[in-house]
């Protein structure tokens, strides 16, 4: 059976708790009969109200980040346990803004992925090359490194709970989408990496989302590609009508 596709919205540092809950109430009736699963990652301050607003809907609420430790002297950080207790189901890890703006490295991201799995959260592990790396033909080397280091010390059993997201940095928030050919070619390369590290079965079942300027206008073509199992959406997830359109088309 085909996997159910996933459309995940990453709101980044946008929306107050009131705006978040309003958005979810407006969105829910529009995607009631969607085939795809709708995931939304609001800011920490909006998580509680978002969970309340999403109750009895098919919307799944997640966080945009977490720390790898359970507790302690980490001013400003949030643990996986805190998120889980709140009712959070997934967490985005290794987003390019965390890697490049906040200098998170592969080893830190790997520790977060391990902790998220221990805490019962589903990690969405993001990987992706910069424009410079693509121009220098280093895309595959970079993706292989980010993937292998990101999933180190993770068992096959736990791997089945991970979602991967391929997000070329040059396509995030730039309006430049990878063509469906480029995206499919890269997703098929990532699918092979999963086989190399885990096995065929896990590779077949693992969702690989594409992210980078996804809009209602380009989602269908992307979703037609064999190895694209869903999308991770930034900008176009901030407006409920455009997000609903993406969810319904995916
Ligand atoms: C993202 O931040 O994960 C993303 C894909 O952003 P955008 O859709 O705005 O390119």
């Amino acid at each position: 059976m085909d996997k159910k596709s996933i459309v995940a919205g990453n709101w980044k540092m946008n929306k107050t708790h009131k705006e978040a809950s309003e958005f979810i109430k407006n969105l829910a009736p529009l995607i009631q009969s969607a085939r795809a699963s709708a995931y939304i990652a609001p800011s920490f301050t909006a998580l509680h109200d978002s969970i309340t607003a999403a109750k009895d809907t098919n919307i799944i609420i997640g966080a945009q980040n977490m720390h790898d430790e359970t507790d302690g002297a980490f001013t400003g950080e949030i643990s996986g346990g805190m998120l889980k207790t709140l009712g959070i189901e997934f967490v985005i890890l290794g987003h390019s803004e965390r890697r490049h703006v906040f200098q998170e490295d592969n080893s830190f991201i790997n520790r977060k992925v391990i902790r998220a799995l221990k805490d019962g959260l589903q990690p969405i592990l993001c990987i992706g090359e910069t424009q410079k790396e693509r121009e220098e033909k280093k895309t595959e080397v970079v993706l292989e490194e980010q993937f292998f280091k990101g999933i180190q010390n993770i068992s096959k059993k736990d791997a089945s709970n991970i979602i991967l997201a391929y997000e070329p940095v040059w396509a995030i928030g730039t309006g430049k989408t990878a063509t469906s050919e480029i995206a499919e070619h890269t997703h098929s390369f990532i699918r092979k990496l999963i086989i190399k590290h885990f096995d065929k079965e896990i590779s077949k079942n693992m969702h690989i989302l594409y992210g980078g300027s996804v809009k209602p206008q380009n989602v269908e073509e992307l979703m037609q590609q064999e190895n694209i199992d869903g999308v991770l959406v930034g900008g176009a997830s901030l407006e409920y009508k455009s997000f609903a359109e993406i969810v319904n088309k995916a």
Side-chain angles (χ1 to χ4, degrees):
M1 214 179 80
D2 275 348
K3 293 194 282 285
K4 193 171 178 185
S5 44
I6 295 175
V7 176
N10 172 16
W11 284 354
K12 314 191 184 191
M13 200 172 70
N14 291 291
K15 296 196 192 295
T16 64
H17 64 292
K18 286 200 175 128
E19 288 163 345
S21 127
E22 190 85 348
F23 179 108
I24 291 164
K25 285 181 193 153
N26 285 326
L27 173 71
L30 302 185
I31 58 165
Q32 241 168 3
S33 44
R35 277 174 298 134
S37 301
Y39 286 38
I40 294 181
S43 298
F44 290 130
T45 50
L47 290 179
H48 180 265
D49 285 40
S50 297
I51 290 169
T52 309
K55 197 166 178 282
D56 300 323
T57 73
N58 52 0
I59 301 167
I60 298 165
I61 305 296
Q64 297 171 20
N65 188 27
M66 58 175 265
H67 198 265
D68 70 308
E69 294 287 345
T70 52
D71 51 35
F74 301 101
T75 303
E77 292 293 328
I78 300 274
S79 74
M82 291 170 185
L83 296 172
K84 187 67 187 174
T85 321
L86 203 61
I88 288 306
E89 297 191 45
F90 74 94
V91 58
I92 300 173
L93 297 174
H95 188 277
S96 69
E97 284 146 23
R98 300 299 320 172
R99 290 178 189 269
H100 300 289
V101 182
F102 298 98
Q103 269 73 51
E104 290 190 6
D105 62 14
N106 285 316
S107 140
F108 189 30
I109 294 163
N110 172 244
R111 294 199 303 277
K112 291 182 189 216
V113 175
I114 293 172
R115 178 66 64 195
L117 290 164
K118 274 193 189 141
D119 288 335
L121 297 165
Q122 183 169 39
I124 299 185
L125 171 61
C126 304
I127 58 176
E129 82 287 2
T130 62
Q131 171 92 46
K132 185 166 176 281
E133 287 160 348
R134 176 159 281 271
E135 281 162 7
E136 290 171 357
K137 312 227 174 307
K138 291 185 184 149
T139 300
E140 296 193 348
V141 178
V142 170
L143 294 179
E144 185 155 0
E145 186 178 19
Q146 290 180 349
F147 173 69
F148 284 137
K149 291 192 173 164
I151 45 90
Q152 247 181 56
N153 300 317
I154 289 171
S155 67
K156 284 188 184 178
K157 186 170 157 279
D158 281 341
S160 55
N161 285 323
I162 299 176
I163 296 172
L164 282 180
Y166 167 56
E167 296 210 304
V169 182
W170 46 271
I172 297 180
T174 58
K176 275 192 221 168
T177 322
T179 59
S180 48
E181 289 76 23
I182 293 180
E184 171 56 19
H185 179 82
T186 316
H187 278 230
S188 130
F189 170 74
I190 296 169
R191 190 80 68 200
K192 288 186 195 117
L193 290 182
I194 308 171
I195 301 180
K196 198 162 146 190
H197 191 83
F198 295 112
D199 60 34
K200 252 194 162 148
E201 189 63 16
I202 292 176
S203 166
K204 200 172 104 215
N205 293 331
M206 195 177 280
H207 281 83
I208 311 176
L209 314 184
Y210 168 77
S213 300
V214 174
K215 304 178 222 45
Q217 297 82 344
N218 58 21
V219 65
E220 281 166 303
E221 192 182 330
L222 287 162
M223 287 303 303
Q224 275 158 15
Q225 310 306 313
E226 192 186 335
N227 288 291
I228 300 185
D229 307 310
V231 286
L232 182 50
V233 190
S237 72
L238 290 173
E239 206 277 308
Y240 75 89
K241 286 187 186 149
S242 67
F243 190 63
E245 215 179 319
I246 295 175
V247 174
N248 286 321
K249 284 179 171 175

